[in-house]
Amino acid sequence: MVRTASAAGSRTGKVVHGTGRRIRRATAAEGAGESGLAKLIELHAINAFGDMLITVALASTIFFSVPTGEARGRVALYLLITMAPFAVLAPVIGPLLDRLPHGRRAAMAMSMLARAVLAWTMAGVVTGGGLALYPEALGVLVASKAYGVVRSVVVPRLLPSRLSLVKANSRVTLAGLLATMVAGGVGGLLHLIGPGWPLRGAFLVFVAGTLMAFHLPHTVDSAKGEQRAVLHAEEHPPGHHGVLHGRNAPAPEPAAEQRPKASLLTVGPSVILALRAMAAMRWLVGFLVMFLAFLLREEPIGGLQPTLALGLVALAAGTGNAIGSALGSWLRPRGPEMTVTAMLLLAGCATAAAALWYGTVTVVTVAVTAGTAASLGKLSLDALIQRDVPESVRTSAFARSETLLQMSWVAGGAVGILLPLNGALGLSVAAAVVGAVLLWTLRSLLRVGVRHRPAAPRVA
């Protein structure tokens, strides 16, 4: 028996070691290992793993352990206590990063450390699910969103010469998705031991993430030549295409009284078009998460058990995200403006179809479509920022755009909580919102047009 156990342990060790070596080889491909992007990919996987463990713990306490009506009230309270303060804090994150360009590794490490401390604290109160849990959940949420903003800013700084920004973001996103899937299973097993154990697991994960953040390359904290940007499109003369006036985009000097400040530069209309469309898609994702979570628990689709129905929709959304990330490498030759508009159109059509013919197939379809559209649309927005925004203000543009997208998710989730639990009504409202933004986007697309010029130089 000892010999058999030893052999089994040896084989398991070899499998784990071989899997780890293959993962390392995949993350370091195409120069990602030399530039440091591979370390960021691994850090993001750790971040997603820890966040999912906390989500499992909170969902089991706030959502599944109480009747539907009470659960809806608890989640509404969760939104009120956590999302409302974040609505005030989110506009501060982007400008704050502009003023602290040299502390990105420390910022990511502090977001990990804060969540580690809060996860350990919540482990002691999660069983009761009382009000003491909500301020701590607020801290976790703000730290997680702050990490997301900083991560989007850091990717261009670690971009290898052989990899486009779209492909780099696609790799980071896929790593997070895979880690989330694994963490869901691990969190479920830990929850069987006790409701606090997923949070204790998250504590260990975030402690590891804190240490890993400081092992990112020093390039992450380099801000040479960077300036601040504002998310506004100036009116430009015909043929200008809305490219920023910056160090890397020479343009005729305007009159002194009309010249914008060097530290506040505006992004072009193509970026604003994509940002508006992505805000609508993030709004839709936030809406679907909250609305379908309660609707399917009260009225499961296809006669399925509520937990099974929710799991099916969650799997569909995750699959859509993976599909969008995998398709990211096809964005550049096909025009980001057209791609993001097409994704918004696809999401709107799927939502409208689900409103008209509410059922298992249409709900799963809208979940897959929304996940794919949001993922692919975000990669299109990244490509446009890389193409049209000079490197001196590109980092600032990423920080501010990511903050706006996070706020859109918050707004969608709030609407999903407030609407009555009627599938046709809720999805009709969502389709109307997406349709209105789609018309606005199409109008902007006709004015802006589509370009296919190469991307602007990367951040030094």
Side-chain angles (χ1 to χ4, degrees):
M1 289 179 64
V2 172
R3 194 180 302 115
T4 302
S6 176
S10 176
R11 285 195 296 269
T12 302
K14 290 180 180 178
V15 170
V16 171
H17 179 71
T19 302
R21 189 169 50 196
R22 284 191 289 271
I23 292 174
R24 280 291 181 91
R25 189 162 52 241
T27 56
E30 298 183 271
E34 293 82 356
S35 71
L37 180 64
K39 292 185 177 180
L40 180 63
I41 293 173
E42 293 167 1
L43 178 64
H44 185 64
I46 288 291
N47 174 82
F49 197 100
D51 276 347
M52 187 60 187
L53 290 179
I54 292 180
T55 299
V56 169
L58 293 180
S60 63
T61 302
I62 297 175
F63 186 74
F64 286 109
S65 64
V66 295
T68 302
E70 186 179 345
R72 198 175 188 196
R74 286 195 181 193
V75 174
L77 181 62
Y78 176 82
L79 280 178
L80 178 64
I81 295 178
T82 60
M83 300 300 190
F86 181 68
V88 178
L89 293 173
V92 179
I93 295 176
L96 181 62
L97 288 174
D98 289 338
R99 289 170 173 78
L100 299 173
H102 301 287
R104 303 295 164 82
R105 290 188 302 175
M108 298 177 87
M110 289 306 297
S111 76
M112 296 280 186
L113 182 60
R115 280 177 285 173
V117 173
L118 290 168
W120 186 264
T121 305
M122 285 192 295
V125 298
V126 70
T127 304
L131 288 178
L133 190 64
Y134 293 93
E136 294 163 347
L138 164 63
V140 170
L141 178 71
V142 173
S144 179
K145 299 303 182 184
Y147 164 85
V149 174
V150 179
R151 191 264 303 170
S152 69
V153 169
V154 165
V155 172
R157 294 182 174 186
L158 299 178
L159 200 62
S161 58
R162 287 177 282 169
L163 207 61
S164 70
L165 182 62
V166 173
K167 289 183 179 180
N169 276 310
S170 178
R171 282 193 187 182
V172 174
T173 303
L174 277 174
L177 287 171
L178 292 174
T180 298
M181 293 177 186
V182 175
V186 173
L189 293 175
L190 289 175
H191 182 70
L192 295 177
I193 303 175
W197 282 97
L199 292 167
R200 294 185 180 96
F203 166 79
L204 296 176
V205 169
F206 285 126
V207 167
T210 302
L211 300 176
M212 289 177 63
F214 285 113
H215 284 83
L216 291 173
H218 292 285
T219 311
V220 169
D221 287 333
S222 173
K224 183 179 180 181
E226 291 184 3
Q227 301 176 39
R228 283 180 281 166
V230 293
L231 297 180
H232 174 72
E234 286 183 331
E235 293 294 330
H236 301 295
H240 190 280
H241 298 293
V243 180
L244 279 167
H245 297 309
R247 295 181 183 179
N248 295 85
E253 287 291 328
E257 62 274 9
Q258 298 177 343
R259 188 180 301 123
K261 294 180 181 179
S263 60
L264 289 174
L265 302 177
T266 56
V267 300
S270 291
V271 175
I272 294 300
L273 177 153
L275 187 57
R276 186 184 301 127
M278 261 311 301
M281 285 186 274
R282 281 287 181 88
W283 182 95
L284 177 63
V285 171
F287 172 84
L288 291 176
V289 167
M290 293 299 172
F291 183 72
L292 291 180
F294 291 105
L295 178 64
L296 297 182
R297 187 180 177 187
E298 185 73 15
E299 300 176 5
I301 52 177
L304 300 173
Q305 292 294 324
T307 305
L308 184 58
L310 287 170
L312 180 63
V313 173
L315 177 62
T319 301
N321 273 313
I323 292 172
S325 299
L327 294 176
S329 60
W330 293 359
L331 281 174
R332 291 171 63 83
R334 302 182 186 278
E337 298 97 337
M338 284 296 296
T339 301
V340 74
T341 305
M343 290 300 100
L344 186 60
L345 174 62
L346 186 64
C349 290
T351 307
L356 291 173
W357 302 286
Y358 180 76
T360 305
V361 174
T362 52
V363 169
V364 170
T365 299
V366 77
V368 172
T369 305
T372 303
S375 180
L376 200 51
K378 179 60 168 64
L379 294 175
S380 299
L381 174 61
D382 291 344
L384 281 168
I385 292 177
Q386 185 191 28
R387 189 192 75 184
D388 287 356
V389 178
E391 62 184 77
S392 60
V393 292
R394 195 179 300 153
T395 296
S396 177
F398 271 114
R400 292 168 184 253
S401 64
E402 187 65 25
T403 300
L404 178 61
L405 296 182
Q406 298 289 5
M407 287 305 307
S408 300
W409 192 99
V410 170
V415 174
I417 284 290
L418 295 174
L419 283 179
L421 294 181
N422 182 295
L425 173 63
L427 292 170
S428 295
V429 170
V433 172
V434 174
V437 179
L438 175 62
L439 293 176
W440 193 0
T441 303
L442 289 172
R443 179 175 175 271
S444 300
L445 183 63
L446 292 175
R447 295 178 59 188
V448 172
V450 181
R451 289 181 292 148
H452 301 277
R453 74 176 180 82
R458 287 180 284 273
V459 176

